[in-house]
Amino acid sequence: MSFSFSHEDDAITENAPGNPTIVIKVGTSSLVDANTGLPALSKIACLIENVCILKRQKLNVVLVSSGAVGFGCLALNLKERPSGVMMKQALAATGQAKLMELYGRMFNSLGESCAQVLLTYENLGNRSQHKNAINTFEALFKLGVVPIVNENDTVAVEELRFGDNDCLSAMVASMLKAKHLIILTDVDGLYTSNPTKDPEAKRIEVVEDIESLNVDVSSKGSSLGTGGMATKITAAKLATASGVRMSIVSAADPAVIVQVLKGDKVGTLFKKRTLKTSKDKKRWIAGLPARQFLYLDKGAVSAVMKKKSLYAAGIQKIRGKFPANVAIGLCDMKGNVFAQGLVNYSSVELDMLKGKQMNECFESLGYYGAECVIHRGNIVLFQVVLPLVCCVQTTAHFYGFRKLR
């Protein structure tokens, strides 16, 4: 058996050129037996076996695995995740060692090796760290090692409070220019409504346009996990916007991974959106979930939409604190986000510059800075301008696409 991706539909076909990258995400609920509360060893073994099958067919495979806090709970005989951040960090430190020990033994039993890669959104949001991460992944691929990625929960306080590995897996897929992101979960796809509450709910096989999607995503994460269907929709928006196909499938039988890559109709497939830019920097910018935003006047919105640079005179309001050289969302005064860009100034500097001409930079700051706030070459326009944005929504503990308030 030999398979790789065709250029037409990205399904697995025979003898197509290249070594595509596949990112597989598995959550805590898929690693732990719901009845016993113990590691689901047979399921994990099947997952590792299928990862090895793909690797031996010349595919680069990355496994994004949750479970550090969950395995910490199991090691210390806790039935549910504690609420305190410091306690979660301690459990993550305990559980991550247990998790990697298990993965290492299983990969070694099949004659393969794995490596631990701990990341945060802050790592991927820093351009130099982002490049270093890519170099590390490429080196691991050359060595024949399977990278196992998890959030660095012991330091990523905000991620423990708000996030889940769904979005992280989408960012990793975007960073590595993956062909497909496969999210294994406790349901067999996206439904028109919550299937546990509505017997009439139907599985959606293919999502052509994610922006027009209107479904009930009220399902929550498990007692040991943090995710739910809402975080997976957000991950799909991030992945597809970066030119990556994504599938949500049941983790009951990890062999479904091969079925997905063969093009079988299993789970829910989110078709990738056309990525207008092939430049690595713009792909990186597009794949970051911006947390801070600049509100622009009509003139600045029009200029940016016409692919011009952003200047301080058009900035009306700043949301959030940030350093220079990070991805910032751009929105109109109604909160509609239409673009994202790499900013040349910090929020403190922009607070002094907003509404002014750039030739007043020295007078305002005491030194000369960049000639524009965001250069046009560092701006990515969204395909569809909607009152939606990837921002932190603390009440739902996930990064959702919605209108800013």
Side-chain angles (χ1 to χ4, degrees), residues 160-222:
L160 281 169
R161 294 176 62 191
F162 304 140
D164 177 85
N165 272 1
D166 294 324
C167 287
L168 179 59
S169 68
M171 294 174 68
V172 170
S174 173
M175 174 179 69
L176 298 178
K177 300 180 182 178
K179 287 288 187 178
H180 211 125
L181 167 62
I182 301 173
I183 293 185
L184 299 173
T185 185
D186 50 7
V187 293
D188 63 344
L190 177 67
Y191 281 75
T192 53
S193 59
N194 191 332
T196 63
K197 298 178 181 178
D198 182 6
E200 300 297 323
K202 295 182 179 180
R203 179 171 62 88
I204 302 173
E205 290 188 357
V206 179
V207 176
E208 298 278 354
D209 180 14
I210 195 169
E211 297 296 355
S212 62
L213 191 63
N214 183 22
V215 294
D216 175 13
V217 291
S218 60
S219 61
K220 299 180 180 180
S222 67

Side-chain angles (χ1 to χ4, degrees), residues 27-41 43-44 67-81 98-99 102 222-225:
T28 305
S29 62
S30 302
L31 300 173
V32 177
D33 189 294
N35 296 319
T36 66
L38 297 174
L41 295 179
K43 188 185 297 185
I44 298 172
V69 176
F71 268 62
C73 289
L74 294 176
L76 300 177
N77 199 30
L78 299 178
K79 300 301 181 183
E80 293 188 357
R81 294 167 62 99
K98 298 290 186 182
L99 184 63
L102 178 59
S222 67
S223 61
L224 293 176

Side-chain angles (χ1 to χ4, degrees), residues 205-388:
E205 290 188 357
V206 179
V207 176
E208 298 278 354
D209 180 14
I210 195 169
E211 297 296 355
S212 62
L213 191 63
N214 183 22
V215 294
D216 175 13
V217 291
S218 60
S219 61
K220 299 180 180 180
S222 67
S223 61
L224 293 176
T226 60
M229 192 54 68
T231 64
K232 292 165 181 57
I233 297 297
T234 304
K237 291 184 177 183
L238 287 171
T240 57
S242 300
V244 179
R245 288 157 57 99
M246 192 187 102
S247 292
I248 298 175
V249 295
S250 172
D253 181 8
V256 72
I257 294 169
V258 174
Q259 293 178 265
V260 169
L261 298 180
K262 285 182 176 180
D264 293 351
K265 293 182 178 181
V266 291
T268 297
L269 169 66
F270 295 83
K271 289 196 171 182
K272 65 182 181 181
R273 287 175 278 180
T274 303
L275 190 61
K276 294 183 178 180
T277 175
S278 60
K279 294 182 179 179
D280 287 342
K281 180 179 282 190
K282 284 200 172 185
R283 188 184 184 99
W284 166 65
I285 293 171
L288 290 173
R291 303 178 188 176
Q292 298 87 17
F293 305 88
L294 299 178
Y295 289 77
L296 312 182
D297 62 25
K298 291 182 179 180
V301 171
S302 177
V304 172
M305 291 291 288
K306 294 177 181 177
K307 299 184 179 181
K308 295 182 180 180
S309 298
L310 173 64
Y311 297 91
I315 300 174
Q316 297 296 303
K317 188 169 69 170
I318 302 167
R319 177 186 173 120
K321 296 181 179 180
F322 51 86
N325 300 312
V326 297
I328 299 296
L330 303 180
C331 57
D332 60 25
M333 293 306 296
K334 294 181 179 180
N336 299 312
V337 179
F338 64 94
Q340 193 158 290
L342 195 63
V343 68
N344 291 325
Y345 292 90
S346 69
S347 57
V348 174
E349 292 170 318
L350 288 180
D351 194 48
M352 293 185 281
L353 287 175
K354 64 182 180 182
K356 299 179 180 179
Q357 298 298 320
M358 296 306 296
N359 57 17
E360 299 179 63
C361 181
F362 185 83
E363 180 180 340
S364 300
L365 302 179
Y367 51 86
Y368 291 106
E371 63 181 20
C372 61
V373 174
I374 303 180
H375 188 272
R376 62 185 181 185
N378 291 331
I379 296 176
V380 177
L381 296 175
F382 295 156
Q383 287 183 315
V384 181
V385 179
L386 292 172
L388 304 169

